[in-house]
Amino acid sequence: MITAFGKDDGKGWEFIKALYANLDGKIQGSSSNSYKMVADGEYCIGLTQEKSVQNYLIAGANVGMVYPQEGTSAVPDAIGIVKGCKNLENAKIFANFMLDKQNQKMMSDKFNRRSVRTDMDPPTKLPPMKDIKLVNYDFAWASTQKADVLAKWKDIVVGK
């Protein structure tokens, strides 16, 4: 939810309040079942990650996917090597394996993951990143705000 608006200028939480008001009190414990519930016709809309919907799109389910016109976030994947690690050469071999084009293609094909590489197309049924409007998302700020965001969300959903 914090990715919906980044640093709070007040408008983000107003949007969340309005969204919640339209949900008729129906909130799932996880976004991981929303695509199934939409595909099954139980709900007409669900908020989830694109990689989760992709399997349904490929299978021909009667669902679609829309990115917010205001923009969305794209949380980057990363790999790193611990400074001073005991097996630096093996760590480099592993990092290179994970970032190798063949491995990245396999992860895209089998797990619907966008590659971290810029020389690869997105997985089937997903648009290129250049076609998706991104919000200016401050990861450093967001990493320190989890407790506050969850408290604000709880105030909206449960009440004070």
Side-chain angles (χ1 to χ4, degrees):
M1 134 188 80
I2 196 168
T3 60
F5 50 85
K7 286 186 180 177
D8 186 20
D9 61 0
K11 295 178 185 175
W13 285 111
E14 291 307 312
F15 171 79
I16 295 296
K17 288 176 186 176
L19 174 67
Y20 179 69
N22 282 300
L23 297 178
D24 195 26
K26 297 178 183 175
I27 295 182
Q28 299 300 309
S30 169
S31 65
S32 64
N33 64 348
S34 67
Y35 43 90
K36 180 184 183 318
M37 297 173 99
V38 170
D40 290 347
E42 190 170 345
Y43 292 107
C44 62
I45 190 170
L47 305 175
T48 191
Q49 299 174 343
E50 67 178 8
K51 70 180 182 70
S52 303
V53 179
Q54 186 187 14
N55 286 332
Y56 285 83
L57 294 171
I58 291 169
N62 188 23
V63 298
M65 184 166 40
V66 177
Y67 297 87
Q69 68 183 25
E70 300 84 3
T72 189
S73 65
V75 180
D77 287 336
I79 190 167
I81 297 174
V82 176
K83 183 177 181 177
C85 67
K86 292 180 182 178
N87 297 300
L88 180 59
E89 288 310 309
N90 285 339
K92 288 178 182 179
I93 290 168
F94 180 72
N96 287 331
F97 163 75
M98 291 302 294
L99 298 172
D100 179 77
K101 192 169 187 175
Q102 182 178 350
N103 188 47
Q104 289 286 302
K105 181 169 178 13
M106 179 276 300
M107 291 172 61
S108 177
D109 292 346
K110 291 189 180 243
F111 303 112
N112 303 325
R113 301 288 302 180
R114 287 184 183 270
S115 176
V116 297
R117 298 175 62 107
T118 58
D119 62 344
M120 293 182 61
D121 292 330
T124 302
K125 303 282 185 181
L126 296 182
M129 286 303 297
K130 67 177 182 58
D131 295 345
I132 300 171
K133 181 178 179 181
L134 298 177
V135 294
N136 185 14
Y137 186 64
D138 185 341
F139 291 98
W141 174 87
S143 70
T144 64
Q145 301 302 308
K146 181 177 181 179
D148 185 50
V149 169
L150 290 176
K152 287 179 181 178
W153 172 253
K154 186 176 178 182
D155 284 347
I156 293 169
V157 175
V158 179
K160 296 184 180 188

